[in-house]
Every structure is written in C-alpha cells, then in structure tokens.
Amino acid sequence: MTVDAEDGGRWTSLRLAGREWLWTGPGLTSGPRVGLADFVDAGGLDECFPTVRGVPDHGGLWNQSWDGSVVYDDAVLTRTFTSGADTVSVDYHLEAVPGYRFVWAAHALLDCAPGAIISAPPGTECRLFPEAEPWLPGPWPEDAPWVTAAWPTPLGLDVFGPTDGTAVGAILVDCPAVAVHDRGAELTLTLSCPGQPVSTALWRNQGGFPDDAPYRSLGVEPMLGRVFDLATAGPGDAAVVPDSGELAWRLTVAARTV
C-alpha cells in the first residue's frame, strides 16, 4: 500500500491479491489539498474525522499533512500499519478529552467494475438518507434525517450497477464487516472497536454526482458511528472517548482470488 502523508494521509494505492483496489479520482485537483476549505475528491482512501458529512465536510483531516499522527480540535489521532500476506491492518489510537463525541470513517473509494457485489448479512438495518427519496416507494417523512430498510434495501444497493444517474449514501448499522466481490476477487473490510458503535457506510455513485460533471465511484467505508453527520447523532450514534481519554480501534483489509 502507498500513503501520501502530505495529502491528508490519504491512501493512494492498495494492492492485494494481485490487483489494485483503490479508485483514482477524476483529476479535480493536483498535488496536496493542504489548506483547502472545500473538500475535493481525489480518490483513494481519506480518513474522515470527526464527521463525514456536515461541518467540516468529510472531516478536518483531508486538508492537513500527517507526521505519524495528526491533530484536530484538541484531539490527536495516530495510526500504525501492519502488512501481511494479502492483508493490511491499521491500528488507530485517539487521545481526547473524556466524553469527546465523533464519527470516523475510512472513506475508501474502490476500483470496481459494473456488476460488483457488496455482501453484508441479509436483513442488516440500513439507514438511507434524503438523496434516496426519488427511488423510494413513498414520500420522505417530514423532518426525518434518515429512513431505515433491511439490507439490501429496495434500491438494490448490493450491486454497483451501470451508469444511471443515481448517487445514494447509506449506512449498514452495527455491521463491522463487509465483502466486495469484483472480477474474480474478494475484498473484506473489518472494523473492531469494543464498546463503540461500529458500522459500514456506503456511497454508490452511478454517474449521479456532482450535478455539473458527474462521474462514477463506489465507497465502502468502515466507520465508528451510525450517522454521516455528527450534528444529527442521537444517543449511541457517535463514538465517545472513555474516561481514560484514549480510544483504540483496528481496521483489517484482506483480499483473495475467488
């Protein structure tokens, strides 16, 4: 794997089971995004903290350089990589004041072809957000930040389909592991953090985003939390730093040919 420490600590390459798994962005920017105010999609994997959507958009780390660790909002996040045979494990360590609430996501955009399958336990609770309204059977409930459905949902989010002008985000609640099947290979992403809400966020963009110049991207994003926007987090929807002032979690990514 390759990491660009100057560009938000972004993962730029992940080669497992003989292939590249990370998608390269549509060339919206060149060079590090340090100091930019508005998020620019560069592809790869961005570390989103302390929120994904909301303020700041995609968190406050993507526009900073990393030096083994990074500081945001009086919190210090450190990560350590361990590589094995077709696996990569990342150990995260956060220091912050007790009670600090946050959402974190490994915002991984994957290089997958149409027809790729996302596997999660059938019936898993899936939160859908307002951009999904045009494809739902009924009107959006007034003032609802999300609606729930059982995976794979009426939208068939388990398939990365052809270009159809749609772009939908979702969260598989309390789902710590997801597998992606694409062109004879399988990628599994597993997140562990006992005592905290562990979910998987999805972003299926089949040429529906952005409005002015849409492209295709598939996000499979292990996350701490149950919402995209920290500001909408109810009880249990965000990770919370314990009384020790420290929190640790592990992300494991593995691949194999099938």
Side-chain angles (χ1 to χ4, degrees):
M1 63 172 302
T2 304
V3 171
D4 188 341
E6 294 302 315
D7 189 29
R10 180 170 63 93
W11 306 22
T12 57
S13 177
L14 178 66
R15 295 193 62 85
L16 298 173
R19 58 161 286 180
E20 175 61 57
W21 286 97
L22 293 182
W23 171 78
T24 300
L28 301 177
T29 186
S30 60
R33 296 164 293 169
V34 172
L36 296 182
D38 297 323
F39 179 75
V40 177
D41 192 354
L45 186 155
D46 279 307
E47 306 275 0
C48 294
F49 172 91
T51 189
V52 181
R53 297 182 181 179
V55 181
D57 185 25
H58 286 75
L61 305 185
W62 61 268
N63 57 359
Q64 295 193 55
S65 60
W66 284 59
D67 184 15
S69 62
V70 66
V71 177
Y72 180 83
D73 194 25
D74 295 327
V76 181
L77 180 63
T78 304
R79 63 185 181 184
T80 304
F81 294 91
T82 304
S83 297
D86 289 322
T87 66
V88 173
S89 293
V90 193
D91 288 296
Y92 292 87
H93 181 261
L94 178 68
E95 297 180 57
V97 296
Y100 183 86
R101 300 174 76 245
F102 68 95
V103 171
W104 165 88
H107 185 271
L109 297 174
L110 302 181
D111 182 14
C112 291
I117 302 294
I118 301 165
S119 295
T124 297
E125 179 183 331
C126 185
R127 289 182 175 178
L128 299 170
F129 295 83
E131 68 267 17
E133 180 181 11
W135 301 282
L136 295 178
W140 191 264
E142 186 176 357
D143 297 329
W146 61 76
V147 297
T148 60
W151 179 258
T153 82
L155 305 182
L157 288 177
D158 57 331
V159 179
F160 187 44
T163 300
D164 61 5
T166 64
V168 180
I171 292 176
L172 289 163
V173 176
D174 299 335
C175 180
V178 164
V180 180
H181 305 266
D182 177 60
R183 292 170 288 180
E186 178 187 77
L187 183 75
T188 303
L189 303 98
T190 305
L191 183 62
S192 176
C193 188
Q196 300 290 335
V198 175
S199 303
T200 302
L202 303 174
W203 171 246
R204 193 186 69 176
N205 177 15
Q206 297 176 168
F209 176 86
D211 292 336
D212 56 345
Y215 50 85
R216 292 175 56 86
S217 56
L218 175 64
V220 180
E221 310 166 21
M223 73 184 308
L224 295 180
R226 298 187 177 111
V227 293
F228 283 116
D229 188 347
L230 179 62
T232 67
D237 285 338
V240 181
V241 175
D243 292 343
S244 64
E246 300 181 62
L247 184 65
W249 61 94
R250 171 174 284 188
L251 171 64
T252 302
V253 184
R256 65 187 182 108
T257 56
V258 293

